[in-house]
Amino acid sequence: MKKRIAIFISGRGSNMDAILRQTRDGILRDACELVLVFSNNPEAKGLETAKNAGVPTECIASKGKKRENFDKEVINFLEPFKIDYIILAGYMRLLSPLFIRTYQKRIINIHPADTRAFQGVGAYDWAYKNKLQKTYATVHYVDEGMDTGDIIEQRELDISGMTTLEEIEKAGLALEHKMFSEVLKKLFENEQ
Ligand code: GRF
């Protein structure tokens, strides 16, 4: 059975777009169905991308709402869709314990660093400023902390020859776009 996934975004949505393409006619075609793209931010660029691709979208603005109240709204909204996995792709909001419990071990995030070394936003900038020779992309389960959940897979990125933040970001995103779908495919297939 194909897994039913919802992708959560807050901004650009390039990882969402990469997964969307792989579900349409790529490596995720037989592994999952992209049921919905959700955003907490009405301005998220990725919402347009998803709409243009014909994927159902929903936005519930989180601004000014208490974490648990907002998450309850989202849980209620999602319920009828019978979502198997929530994929966070640049979702810039910490999830409440209630949400984590509702989708226990079924929420997956991608983080552009080794989550044991750096958590939160600005990971490429951190790698750049610290003149790292290599950095990582991490796909992990989401728990109540910020980028603290169990690691599913990490891939290394050699940034030793790179001199600008833009270069690092470009190479990092290319790795993320490839890696995220590949890891999801393995995960979903192992669960059949
Ligand atoms: C990516 O670097 C992702 O790893 C991080 O936020 C960024 C989102 O980019 N969690 P995009 O919205 O997928 O383009």
Side-chain angles (χ1 to χ4, degrees), residues 97-115:
L98 175 72
F99 198 99
I100 305 289
R101 274 200 307 276
T102 308
Y103 289 94
Q104 192 77 47
K105 279 270 172 188
R106 293 187 294 138
I107 312 170
I108 318 283
N109 183 45
I110 189 158
H111 180 69
D114 178 350
T115 48

Side-chain angles (χ1 to χ4, degrees), residues 176-192:
E176 289 187 48
H177 295 162
K178 184 169 185 300
M179 168 186 190
F180 211 174
S181 292
E182 289 176 358
V183 174
L184 291 176
K185 179 178 157 69
K186 265 192 262 176
L187 188 82
F188 296 157
E189 286 180 351
N190 283 341
E191 259 225 351
Q192 296 299 333

Side-chain angles (χ1 to χ4, degrees), residues 11-16 89-90 92 109-112 124 173 176-177:
R12 180 177 55 195
S14 68
N15 276 288
M16 178 275 298
M92 306 302 281
N109 183 45
I110 189 158
H111 180 69
Y124 288 127
L173 276 171
E176 289 187 48
H177 295 162

Side-chain angles (χ1 to χ4, degrees), residues 19-38:
I19 295 169
L20 189 163
R21 287 161 194 270
Q22 296 297 348
T23 57
R24 283 279 155 92
D25 52 13
I27 61 167
L28 288 171
R29 200 180 36 221
D30 300 322
C32 64
E33 181 188 345
L34 176 52
V35 176
L36 180 79
V37 170
F38 174 83

Side-chain angles (χ1 to χ4, degrees), residues 118-187:
F118 183 91
Q119 305 82 29
V121 291
Y124 288 127
D125 198 41
W126 166 78
Y128 172 65
K129 287 194 173 130
N130 286 284
K131 300 190 168 54
L132 301 188
Q133 299 298 296
K134 60 182 182 185
T135 189
Y136 296 85
T138 306
V139 174
H140 64 95
Y141 289 107
V142 175
D143 65 11
E144 286 151 29
M146 171 133 33
D147 303 318
T148 50
D150 291 346
I151 293 171
I152 300 170
E153 192 172 318
Q154 284 192 316
R155 292 194 193 172
E156 195 179 295
L157 180 68
D158 179 1
I159 53 171
S160 57
M162 300 186 190
T163 52
T164 65
L165 174 58
E166 289 69 32
E167 250 182 301
I168 294 174
E169 254 168 5
K170 191 169 172 223
L173 276 171
L175 170 66
E176 289 187 48
H177 295 162
K178 184 169 185 300
M179 168 186 190
F180 211 174
S181 292
E182 289 176 358
V183 174
L184 291 176
K185 179 178 157 69
K186 265 192 262 176
L187 188 82

Side-chain angles (χ1 to χ4, degrees), residues 16-83:
M16 178 275 298
D17 192 28
I19 295 169
L20 189 163
R21 287 161 194 270
Q22 296 297 348
T23 57
R24 283 279 155 92
D25 52 13
I27 61 167
L28 288 171
R29 200 180 36 221
D30 300 322
C32 64
E33 181 188 345
L34 176 52
V35 176
L36 180 79
V37 170
F38 174 83
S39 182
N40 67 316
N41 171 19
E43 309 287 310
K45 286 234 169 60
L47 283 173
E48 280 310 306
T49 313
K51 272 185 208 153
N52 291 338
V55 176
T57 61
E58 174 69 12
C59 177
I60 303 176
S62 60
K63 204 168 177 192
K65 291 182 187 159
K66 284 220 169 97
R67 194 173 309 288
E68 181 138 334
N69 292 343
F70 173 71
D71 279 3
K72 264 186 203 153
E73 261 187 76
V74 181
I75 290 168
N76 290 339
F77 169 76
L78 284 181
E79 213 278 324
F81 292 94
K82 305 289 173 222
I83 299 296

